[in-house]
């Protein structure tokens, strides 16, 4: 009866101070969202990395590219490619009997900041899990066959975000292969398929025919030189033997098409890990290319990420701790404002213990509720922000993944909360409240 | 109401330290006895020490010396917990201001002291409403103090005392800054309690209490007991 009334009093007191209680709990939630984000983002990155490293054990890129650049610029679409290499290397790799498949790619154009990657049909077959939408005249298993030359295949998330539909067109803001070249004209793409979500970076990508990437350069320079708009759809006739410059390298397009066949990397499937190691060595030492064992590099990246996650975790703990301090300072200030109220309770014969117990329970409620609502609310907040975060980071964030860091964070918060609540209770128990009220 | 024993105030002295470090004596060596059901009137101008005397007498603050006996119990020598319990069981207060607990509704304010003490009677809600009715505050039972005027708050404080029906009531200028109607209701409540045997310690210079004949009048300004 007596304790039931104390509980009731606590609830009254909390609802009486809704605003400050809500603010406190919100602040704790926000700090937890931080902590949750750290865990979920790195989890998303890690699962993506692991999946990709299984698919393409070897990546070959231009000479001088570091292991991480090779991985980041191909599998994650984040880094810029370090340069270009000739398509011949892809052809050479394909003929190598240690290799089971090659997927040459060329990063070139971009649309709304999303890189447009030139690939061959085989690559799409490799990564896609089918199409949610595909043009009637498009061959699903050879998507970049002749009639789909300017065809763009859109990742699920990109399509949803920019409401891209089959048959629609868009202009890439053009940069040349591996490099910016703003003087070139925009190139029009036609959406010919939208991929189903694969829960990887591919969901955020735009793919096009590798050949049309090469095409852009002819077109672009053609326009540039002629300052004309006459040949928007004449990609097939490039008989005119004009001089043409890509990467400070001037070639004669009419006669030397091959000199233009530049790519930024080759993703390679090898027949076994021993071949991967051998190929990595060969293609790192030939002076023209660099190569990396995807699995090893991803593992290295994951180690870094783990460290980064830990660092971010500590940062979040710091934030959480500051938030807790702020919350308690606010509450303790309100306690000194509440001295009169507590003193009145005391003069009414409500004992020291019930009065300090009330304050303890109130703070405990805020700590426990703040932590509970904080962890769940943090993840809910993350789920709410998922589309934006996904897009900004190009990863599939898993909003309801709970990490050890977060669980420890919750434990620390509770511990801090209970300790501070107890401290406040002792302080109030010791305070001569009656003298306080008698002062005025 | 429990029958109450005689109150003996013995050689009670209280002084405060001045800002300049000097001593300011509020009352000195006060001794008197108060029978159950009697009225003690504290008079004197504002700042003369009426509130201080009440606080010392009810055990809220310690005297410099002297004691206050309720029967055989010296309240000045009780532990804090003992004083809390004693107040909960024996004393009702009406302060000049700040009488109500903001988070609680009007009716909860009426029964809170007994609820915290775990001493609520069975039909406490009806009884609380009855007390509120007597001071004309029944329809405000569910309201929070925030919504009440000064006079209404004071009437709720009176209803709280009525509800607890303690053997001893301290009322510190209970009608100061109240309208006529509220003053009457508060005064009548106190008189009703006193008629039923409650000992009343009243500090007031409101002429509304002039027709109440105190058994003892203690003028804090002059230190004269009569
Ligand atoms: N806790 C205290 N410390 C110092 N001086 C006090 C304290 N409480 C009251 N006083 C002083 O004691 C005097 C009497 O105050 P009080 O008892 O409130 O008078 P009254 O109730 O008659 O107006 C005043 O001068 C006041 O400033
Ligand atoms: Mg006073």
């Amino acid at each position: 009866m007596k304790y039931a009334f104390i509980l009731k009093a606590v609830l009254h007191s909390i609802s009486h101070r809704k605003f400050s209680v809500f603010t406190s709990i919100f602040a704790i939630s926000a700090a937890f969202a931080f902590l949750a984000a750290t865990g979920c983002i790195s989890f998303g990155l890690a699962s993506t990395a692991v999946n990709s490293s299984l698919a393409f054990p070897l990546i070959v890129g231009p000479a001088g590219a570091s292991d991480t650049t090779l991985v980041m610029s191909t599998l994650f679409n984040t880094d810029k490619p370090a340069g270009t290499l000739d398509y011949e290397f892809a052809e050479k790799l394909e003929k190598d009997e240690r290799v089971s498949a090659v997927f040459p790619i060329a990063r070139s154009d971009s649309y709304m900041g999303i890189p447009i990657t030139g690939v061959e049909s085989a690559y799409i077959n490799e990564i896609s899990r089918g199409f949610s939408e595909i043009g009637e005249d498009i061959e699903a298993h050879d998507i970049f066959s002749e009639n789909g030359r300017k065809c763009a295949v859109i990742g699920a998330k990109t399509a949803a975000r920019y409401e891209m539909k089959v048959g629609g067109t868009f202009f890439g803001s053009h940069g040349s292969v591996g490099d910016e070249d703003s003087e070139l004209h925009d190139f029009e793409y036609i959406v010919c398929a939208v991929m189903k979500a694969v829960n990887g970076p591919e969901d955020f990508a735009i793919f096009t025919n590798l050949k049309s990437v090469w095409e852009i350069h002819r077109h672009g320079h053609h326009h540039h030189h002629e300052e004309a708009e006459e040949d928007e759809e004449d990609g097939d006739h490039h008989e005119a033997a004009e001089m043409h410059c890509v990467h400070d390298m001037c070639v004669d397009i009419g006669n030397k098409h091959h000199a233009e066949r530049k790519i930024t990397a080759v993703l390679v499937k090898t027949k076994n890990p021993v071949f991967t190691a051998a190929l990595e060595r060969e293609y790192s030492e030939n002076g023209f290319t660099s190569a990396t064992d995807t699995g090893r590099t991803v593992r290295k990246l994951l180690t870094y990420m783990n460290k980064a996650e830990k660092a971010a975790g500590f940062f979040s703990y710091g934030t959480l701790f500051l938030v807790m301090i702020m919350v308690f300072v606010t509450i303790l200030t309100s306690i000194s404002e509440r001295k009169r109220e507590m003193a009145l309770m005391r003069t009414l014969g409500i004992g020291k213990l019930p009065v300090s117990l009330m304050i303890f329970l109130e703070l405990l409620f805020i700590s426990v509720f703040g932590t509970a609502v904080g962890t769940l609310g943090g993840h809910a907040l993350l789920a709410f922000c998922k589309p934006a975060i996904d897009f900004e980071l190009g990863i599939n964030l898993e909003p309801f993944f709970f990490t050890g860091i977060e669980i420890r964070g919750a434990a620390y918060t509770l511990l801090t909360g209970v300790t501070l609540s107890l401290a406040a209770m002792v302080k109030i128990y010791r305070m001569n409240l009656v003298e306080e009220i008698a002062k005025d | 109401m429990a029958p109450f024993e005689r109150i003996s105030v013995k050689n009670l002295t209280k002084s405060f330290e001045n800002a300049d470090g000097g001593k300011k004596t509020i009352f000195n060596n006060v001794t008197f006895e108060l029978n159950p059901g009697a009225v003690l009137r504290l008079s004197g101008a504002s700042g003369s020490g009426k509130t201080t005397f009440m606080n010392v007498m009810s055990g809220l603050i310690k005297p410099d010396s002297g004691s206050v006996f309720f029967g055989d119990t010296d309240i000045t020598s009780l532990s804090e917990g003992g004083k809390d319990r004693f107040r909960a069981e024996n004393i009702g207060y009406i302060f000049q201001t700040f009488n109500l607990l903001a988070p609680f509704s009007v009716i909860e304010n009426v029964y809170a002291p007994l609820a915290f003490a775990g001493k609520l009677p069975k039909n406490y809600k009806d009884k609380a409403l009855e007390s509120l009715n007597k001071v004309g505050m029944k329809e405000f039972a569910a309201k929070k103090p925030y919504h009440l005027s000064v006079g209404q708050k004071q009437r709720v404080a009176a209803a709280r005392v009525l509800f607890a029906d303690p053997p001893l009531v301290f009322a510190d200028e209970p009608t100061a800054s109240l309208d006529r109607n509220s003053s009457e209701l508060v005064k009548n409540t106190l008189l009703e309690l006193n008629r039923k045997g409650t000992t009343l310690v009243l500090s007031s210079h409101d002429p509304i209490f002039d027709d109440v004949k105190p058994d003892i009048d203690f003028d804090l300004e002059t230190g004269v007991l009569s």
Side-chain angles (χ1 to χ4, degrees):
Chain A
M1 178 68 227
K2 178 177 169 180
Y3 291 97
F5 195 78
I6 291 177
L7 271 184
K8 192 177 174 184
V10 169
L11 293 180
H12 269 320
S13 180
I14 287 167
S15 79
H16 186 67
R17 282 166 265 270
K18 278 185 218 78
F19 183 74
S20 78
V21 170
F22 176 81
T23 314
S24 302
I25 288 174
F26 183 80
I28 296 176
S29 289
F32 265 102
F34 230 48
L35 210 54
T38 311
C40 292
I41 287 170
S42 50
F43 176 76
L45 279 171
S47 59
T48 292
V50 169
N51 289 340
S52 314
S53 66
L54 295 176
F56 308 109
L58 182 75
I59 301 172
V60 176
S66 71
D67 289 340
T68 48
T69 302
L70 283 176
V71 169
M72 297 309 276
S73 66
T74 55
L75 303 183
F76 293 98
N77 272 341
T78 47
D79 263 11
K80 279 196 165 191
T84 59
L85 68 162
D86 288 329
Y87 185 66
E88 276 74 41
F89 286 104
E91 290 174 329
K92 191 178 159 210
L93 274 160
E94 194 172 22
K95 284 177 199 134
D96 196 307
E97 42 184 33
R98 294 166 295 182
V99 169
S100 51
V102 297
F103 306 94
I105 64 175
R107 283 262 302 269
S108 75
D109 230 357
S110 69
Y111 172 66
M112 309 296 265
I114 301 164
I116 300 174
T117 308
V119 296
E120 292 174 337
S121 299
Y123 179 81
I124 301 291
N125 296 342
E126 178 68 25
I127 57 131
S128 89
R129 291 185 192 160
F131 303 96
S132 57
E133 224 193 322
I134 187 161
E136 278 170 21
D137 54 337
I138 305 292
E139 170 65 56
H141 286 284
D142 190 7
I143 208 154
F144 298 127
S145 57
E146 206 48 37
N147 60 354
R149 204 181 42 76
K150 283 201 277 183
C151 159
V153 176
I154 315 293
K157 298 267 162 95
T158 302
R161 171 132 168 189
Y162 296 109
E163 293 175 354
M164 296 163 102
K165 297 234 179 314
V166 165
T169 59
F170 62 94
F171 286 92
S173 53
H174 179 66
S176 59
V177 178
D179 210 325
E180 280 320 314
D181 186 349
S182 53
E183 286 178 38
L184 297 181
H185 279 233
D186 288 350
F187 186 78
E188 191 182 33
Y189 294 87
I190 298 164
V191 178
C192 61
V194 174
M195 292 196 292
K196 284 186 179 150
V198 299
N199 290 320
E202 294 86 0
D203 292 341
F204 305 95
I206 298 176
F207 297 108
T208 189
N209 191 348
L210 181 58
K211 292 197 183 75
S212 70
V213 171
W214 295 334
E215 202 63 37
I216 297 166
H217 298 90
R218 290 179 209 144
H219 263 276
H221 286 257
H222 194 69
H223 280 293
H224 184 56
H225 287 262
E226 308 258 305
E227 294 178 61
E229 332 134 357
E230 99 278 351
D231 57 354
E232 201 61 68
E233 65 295 283
D234 68 346
D236 293 306
H237 0 97
H238 281 286
E239 295 88 354
E242 57 181 285
M243 287 303 279
H244 183 106
C245 301
V246 176
H247 300 128
D248 307 324
M249 181 167 59
C250 293
V251 293
D252 179 330
I253 350 170
N255 304 326
K256 299 182 81 183
H257 266 220
H258 282 215
E260 269 235 318
R261 299 192 309 162
K262 292 283 185 184
I263 54 176
T264 51
V266 193
L267 306 178
V268 184
K269 269 189 192 302
T270 56
K271 286 180 179 157
N272 70 48
V274 178
F275 294 161
T276 307
L279 286 164
E280 184 191 14
R281 204 173 332 105
E282 286 169 31
Y283 280 82
S284 299
E285 290 168 358
N286 65 8
F288 298 104
T289 59
S290 59
T292 189
D293 176 332
T294 317
R296 177 174 38 80
T297 303
V298 162
R299 274 193 301 280
K300 203 169 76 188
L301 285 175
L302 288 184
T303 314
Y304 282 130
M305 223 156 71
N306 227 306
K307 281 181 187 153
E309 186 190 334
K310 282 214 175 95
F314 280 118
F315 178 62
S316 308
Y317 286 157
T319 314
L320 201 58
F321 191 69
L322 285 180
V323 166
M324 290 295 285
I325 301 272
M326 263 166 51
V327 166
F328 275 86
V329 165
T330 314
I331 288 170
L332 290 178
T333 321
S334 85
I335 282 175
S336 67
E337 282 162 14
R338 286 164 66 182
K339 268 185 195 160
R340 294 212 60 153
E341 191 179 306
M342 292 189 288
L344 176 63
M345 294 177 83
R346 292 288 310 283
T347 57
L348 293 175
I350 301 164
K352 256 179 185 295
L353 193 63
V355 170
S356 44
L357 194 62
M358 265 186 71
I359 297 297
F360 172 70
L361 290 174
E362 211 176 303
L363 295 186
L364 192 67
F365 172 88
I366 291 172
S367 311
V368 172
F369 200 71
T371 309
V373 170
T375 38
L376 296 178
H379 283 278
L381 207 66
L382 210 56
F384 178 75
C385 301
K386 178 176 155 65
I389 296 176
D390 275 2
F391 233 92
E392 289 312 317
L393 301 178
I395 55 159
N396 277 284
L397 181 135
E398 180 55 66
F400 287 99
F401 179 78
F402 288 81
T403 59
I405 284 180
E406 192 181 349
I407 291 160
R408 276 194 296 280
Y412 293 153
T413 311
L414 272 182
L415 202 71
T416 315
V418 171
T419 311
L420 291 177
S421 309
L422 270 173
M425 173 168 165
V426 169
K427 183 181 177 214
I428 286 158
Y429 191 86
R430 292 232 180 110
M431 217 151 65
N432 195 339
L433 288 166
V434 173
E435 293 273 354
E436 298 281 340
I437 200 176
K439 268 182 192 151
D440 44 26
Chain B
M1 183 212 73
F4 203 66
E5 294 159 282
R6 145 188 300 230
I7 301 170
S8 305
V9 172
K10 289 185 181 159
N11 309 103
L12 212 54
T13 300
K14 180 72 186 176
S15 56
F16 286 119
E17 249 175 55
N18 271 338
D20 55 26
K23 257 192 171 180
K24 177 182 176 189
T25 303
I26 309 296
F27 47 87
N28 189 21
N29 213 18
V30 179
T31 300
F32 62 83
E33 293 204 331
L34 200 60
N35 287 322
V39 175
L40 166 65
R41 171 95 181 243
L42 303 174
S43 49
S46 182
S48 59
K50 302 183 293 297
T51 301
T52 303
F53 188 79
M54 279 194 175
N55 287 342
V56 171
M57 194 178 159
S58 60
L60 290 177
I61 58 177
K62 288 193 182 85
D64 297 346
S65 60
S67 43
V68 181
F69 282 92
F70 294 87
D72 297 328
T73 316
D74 179 3
I75 194 170
T76 59
S77 67
L78 289 179
S79 68
E80 276 212 62
K83 283 178 190 166
D84 285 338
R85 241 166 290 126
F86 184 85
R87 278 196 293 270
E89 285 165 19
N90 300 299
I91 300 179
Y93 285 94
I94 301 178
F95 302 100
Q96 184 174 342
T97 55
F98 199 73
N99 264 298
L100 305 182
L101 298 167
F104 294 88
S105 68
V106 162
I107 189 166
E108 285 166 340
N109 262 285
V110 170
Y111 63 71
L114 290 195
F116 274 111
K119 295 209 162 106
L120 278 183
K122 272 217 161 59
N123 49 347
Y124 67 96
K125 280 196 177 150
D126 294 337
K127 281 193 173 167
L129 282 174
E130 196 185 306
S131 305
L132 282 170
N133 196 31
K134 280 189 182 158
V135 295
M137 289 297 292
K138 192 179 172 181
E139 62 270 39
F140 294 89
K143 285 255 178 346
K144 288 278 171 77
Y146 172 77
H147 301 283
L148 307 185
S149 72
V150 181
Q152 289 171 324
K153 283 180 189 162
Q154 217 59 349
R155 279 144 68 182
V156 175
R160 181 174 64 204
V161 172
L162 262 182
F163 175 82
D165 193 16
L168 173 60
V169 170
F170 286 87
D172 192 0
E173 312 201 36
T175 59
S177 66
L178 294 201
D179 57 277
R180 183 83 203 165
N181 183 33
S182 290
S183 297
E184 287 288 351
L185 283 163
V186 170
K187 178 192 171 191
N188 290 341
T189 304
L190 292 173
L191 292 184
E192 183 193 329
L193 281 163
N194 184 244
R195 255 198 313 281
K196 291 197 283 181
T198 295
T199 308
L200 182 62
V201 180
L202 172 71
S203 124
S204 182
H205 38 237
D206 188 342
I208 196 173
F209 287 106
D210 284 354
D211 58 341
V212 179
K213 269 264 143 284
D215 298 83
I216 297 177
D217 188 288
F218 180 26
D219 188 333
L220 272 296
E221 222 171 331
T222 58
V224 173
L225 274 162
S226 54

